[in-house]
Amino acid sequence: MKSLFIAYALLLAGLLIPVCVGLYWLSGMLAIPFTIILGCEYIFRRKPAMRFICRLVLVLVYVLICKLFVFDIFQVNSGSMEGTILKGDVLLVNKLAYGPISLQPEDISWVKLFHKGQHKDVVDRKRGYEKIRRNDVFIYELFPGYFVVKRCVGLPLDTVRINNDSVYINNQLSGFPRDGYQQYRERFRDRSGVKKAVSIIPESAIDSVNIDSNVVIANIARSQLSGDAIEVERLPNKLLQGKTPYFQPGVWTINNMGPLIVPHGHYFMMGDNRPYSEDSRYLGFIPEQHIVGKTVIVLYSYGDNGFIWNRLFKKVL
């Protein structure tokens, strides 16, 4: 009995933690089942089996609340964020950071059998403990049931311009992502330099190798450039040629567009692996109500070559 009292005391203390960061709605949500279970403990004080069932229900309710409102887990199925996030990474997503979206009856499949209400275009987002910032990486729902991860480039009312494949935010050259992938052309003094460069670049990232001119073209991060190259050139985005931009497709191109003003309540998203990322350049602005949560860490990664140990609990920057 003493251990049970301590457990409930600790749980009660845990209910007060959200209050410290202004998440009163979460404390209230957690307190309701806690209060009910205390009542059940008294009512069924002489029925151990019923008390056990009540405690089990409490655990299940808290697990459901955590899944819907606190955190979630997603696995990445594309290489559009390579440089930061790899295909096969399993991400822990913090829903509390920006605040989770309040569920509507229409969002629950079985409720649709009994409730025929019209889905609202503007949804209510519960209070979070921080605002969305430029350079944040978060998960959003692109299409119903299809979730993607990208980096926030433009905030509401920002001016976004892409000039020769370089991104300018409010007329300032964007300095992120730090390790984003671009196409680079490296020229070396001799074949030994080419051989060394090719040996350290993933095979899938190499676009072409010209032995006669000692040139390697690869889709890599700046930090992966060889120090032996005598000439380095960043190439415009050629890997998605034929793709038309969402904005003014007959006038602008993927490498040169804007200026664009991000509407209120929307965000301009891009992948760190820009040459391979189909993002806001192709699909338009992302509404705030589609945002699920902020990526926190890579829990683990399991790619084509198996488990990647150095990705274990890696922080997403």
Side-chain angles (χ1 to χ4, degrees):
M1 183 62 69
K2 183 178 180 181
S3 61
L4 182 62
F5 175 79
I6 294 175
Y8 279 123
L10 291 175
L11 184 58
L12 178 61
L15 298 181
L16 300 177
I17 293 177
V19 176
C20 299
V21 290
L23 303 181
Y24 304 105
W25 62 268
L26 181 59
S27 289
M29 185 178 294
L30 296 174
I32 292 173
F34 178 78
T35 304
I36 293 174
I37 198 64
L38 288 181
C40 291
E41 287 282 347
Y42 178 77
I43 294 172
F44 301 118
R45 59 186 180 279
R46 301 184 184 277
K47 298 180 179 180
M50 292 300 297
R51 291 206 310 271
F52 174 79
I53 292 174
C54 290
R55 294 167 190 171
L56 180 61
V57 171
L58 177 67
V59 171
L60 294 177
V61 169
Y62 278 169
V63 168
L64 181 61
I65 289 175
C66 287
K67 171 68 169 63
L68 294 176
F69 301 104
V70 180
F71 65 85
D72 210 337
I73 295 172
F74 292 87
Q75 185 169 29
V76 180
N77 58 8
S78 78
S80 65
M81 281 292 291
E82 285 190 6
T84 303
I85 296 171
L86 303 181
K87 182 178 180 180
D89 281 354
V90 176
L91 305 176
L92 178 67
V93 178
N94 180 0
K95 292 185 175 183
L96 282 182
Y98 309 140
I101 294 175
S102 300
L103 291 178
Q104 302 177 52
E106 296 79 13
D107 295 325
I108 306 174
S109 57
W110 60 268
V111 173
K112 295 178 183 178
L113 298 174
F114 311 99
H115 184 86
K116 301 295 182 181
Q118 186 176 3
H119 190 84
K120 300 178 183 178
D121 292 330
V122 179
V123 297
D124 175 44
R125 182 178 292 277
K126 295 185 179 297
R127 179 178 178 179
Y129 59 82
E130 68 177 74
K131 299 292 185 181
I132 298 174
R133 294 173 294 184
R134 202 178 290 113
N135 203 30
D136 279 358
V137 177
F138 55 73
I139 296 279
Y140 59 90
E141 189 174 27
L142 184 59
F143 305 115
Y146 183 73
F147 299 89
V148 296
V149 56
K150 293 285 189 292
R151 189 178 297 275
C152 179
V153 173
L155 299 174
L157 305 182
D158 273 353
T159 300
V160 179
R161 178 169 57 92
I162 301 177
N163 184 29
N164 291 328
D165 210 26
S166 295
V167 180
Y168 294 82
I169 308 297
N170 300 326
N171 295 321
Q172 298 292 323
L173 181 64
S174 168
F176 53 82
R178 183 183 58 186
D179 294 320
Y181 280 21
Q182 295 280 3
Q183 275 228 309
Y184 287 96
R185 175 184 177 274
E186 295 181 276
R187 187 167 69 86
F188 298 89
R189 195 176 307 278
D190 50 37
R191 292 187 182 182
S192 63
V194 173
K195 184 177 180 180
K196 181 179 178 181
V198 169
S199 68
I200 61 176
I201 298 175
E203 184 178 351
S204 60
I206 299 174
D207 186 57
S208 65
V209 178
N210 190 321
I211 296 297
D212 295 330
S213 57
N214 298 322
V215 168
V216 176
I217 296 178
N219 188 51
I220 55 178
R222 175 171 288 276
S223 59
Q224 294 176 290
L225 291 172
S226 173
D228 298 327
I230 60 174
E231 182 181 308
V232 176
E233 178 186 7
R234 184 169 69 85
L235 302 178
N237 181 357
K238 296 179 180 179
L239 299 180
L240 290 174
Q241 282 185 345
K243 296 283 186 178
T244 56
Y246 178 86
F247 308 96
Q248 299 193 32
V251 180
W252 294 342
T253 67
I254 296 303
N255 298 327
N256 293 277
M257 65 168 63
L260 294 164
I261 297 178
V262 183
H264 179 73
H266 290 72
Y267 298 86
F268 192 90
M269 310 297 296
M270 292 183 72
D272 289 1
N273 189 3
R274 289 180 185 171
Y276 282 106
S277 175
E278 295 194 16
D279 41 47
S280 287
R281 296 170 293 174
Y282 308 92
L283 302 168
F285 302 115
I286 300 302
E288 182 178 356
Q289 60 262 34
H290 289 189
I291 298 172
V292 176
K294 182 178 182 180
T295 58
V296 181
I297 59 172
V298 177
L299 291 175
Y300 65 91
S301 184
Y302 193 87
D304 297 334
N305 298 321
F307 197 89
I308 306 175
W309 288 100
N310 64 359
R311 303 290 295 171
L312 194 64
F313 301 121
K314 184 178 179 63
K315 188 175 180 180
V316 176
L317 299 175

